Amino acid sequence: MARPKSLPDAEVLASVRRILADHGDRAVSFGSVSQATGLAGPTLVQRFGTREGMVRAALSAAWDALEALTERAEADTPLSAKGAQAFLKLLGAESETSEISLLAADFRDPALRERAAAWRARVEAALALRLGGGGKAREAAAILFTAWQGQLLWQQAGGKAFRLKDALKRISG
């Protein structure tokens, strides 16, 4: 079977992220991505330059998608405690967010680390706004964000230990 001559970057980068998620950082190489996509290794080198450039591009594309999703979730959820829950539910429902733990797993790249910090601040601000604003709401938003992230991380290792709805009631009540 002949190799495809072209494949959109989005599909190549999704393959890189799948390899990262399934097998870790060390499994990503031009060879493994070539095998996953059917593109020739030299084609990948020509597109991305280095293995690190390919990984950075894959993670940057995931951040772009997550930031766009966050913007949509902010626009689509009401400014209430139920809106805070709906906001996190929207962020957690999309396939891109299954990569949140992947995005947070490696902050060696300063630019990606900066994006992560900015995204966290944005999510916490959106939550605080839905929880009424002010200092208490900002504190509750930080706790809720951390609980939500922990739930996403550990969900893969055996399910939910608690419901965000219950945590939201406790910290905003």
Side-chain angles (χ1 to χ4, degrees):
M1 182 170 164
R3 288 184 180 269
K5 293 196 185 271
S6 68
L7 196 63
D9 278 354
E11 290 182 39
V12 175
L13 298 175
S15 292
V16 172
R17 289 191 304 275
R18 270 192 302 278
I19 294 168
L20 281 167
D22 294 345
H23 306 290
D25 184 62
R26 292 180 185 210
V28 177
S29 66
F30 288 121
S32 65
V33 176
S34 174
Q35 186 175 14
T37 62
L39 293 174
T43 300
L44 296 169
V45 171
Q46 188 175 29
R47 279 193 195 184
F48 302 108
T50 64
R51 176 202 167 283
E52 290 75 20
M54 184 170 58
V55 170
R56 187 177 307 109
L59 295 176
S60 291
W63 276 114
D64 291 344
L66 184 57
E67 289 166 351
L69 173 61
T70 303
E71 188 172 324
R72 287 192 310 272
E74 285 176 301
D76 293 345
T77 55
L79 300 178
S80 66
K82 285 189 178 196
Q85 184 180 350
F87 176 72
L88 292 178
K89 189 173 183 178
L90 281 174
L91 288 181
E94 296 280 333
S95 62
E96 287 296 327
T97 58
S98 64
E99 298 173 344
I100 290 176
S101 58
L102 171 65
L103 292 173
D106 184 2
F107 289 138
R108 289 178 288 187
D109 184 316
L112 295 176
R113 187 172 51 245
E114 196 172 299
R115 283 185 85 169
W119 178 76
R120 178 182 179 152
R122 180 179 185 177
V123 170
E124 286 184 8
L127 289 170
L129 186 62
R130 282 155 182 77
L131 297 174
K136 184 178 178 186
R138 284 191 300 276
E139 185 177 319
I143 293 168
L144 189 58
F145 177 87
T146 302
W148 174 64
Q149 286 293 285
Q151 184 183 41
L152 285 177
L153 176 68
W154 290 104
Q155 193 170 354
Q156 298 171 8
K160 300 177 184 177
F162 71 99
R163 296 180 335 166
L164 282 175
K165 180 179 180 179
D166 296 336
L168 181 59
K169 284 179 186 176
R170 286 188 180 117
I171 62 176
S172 66

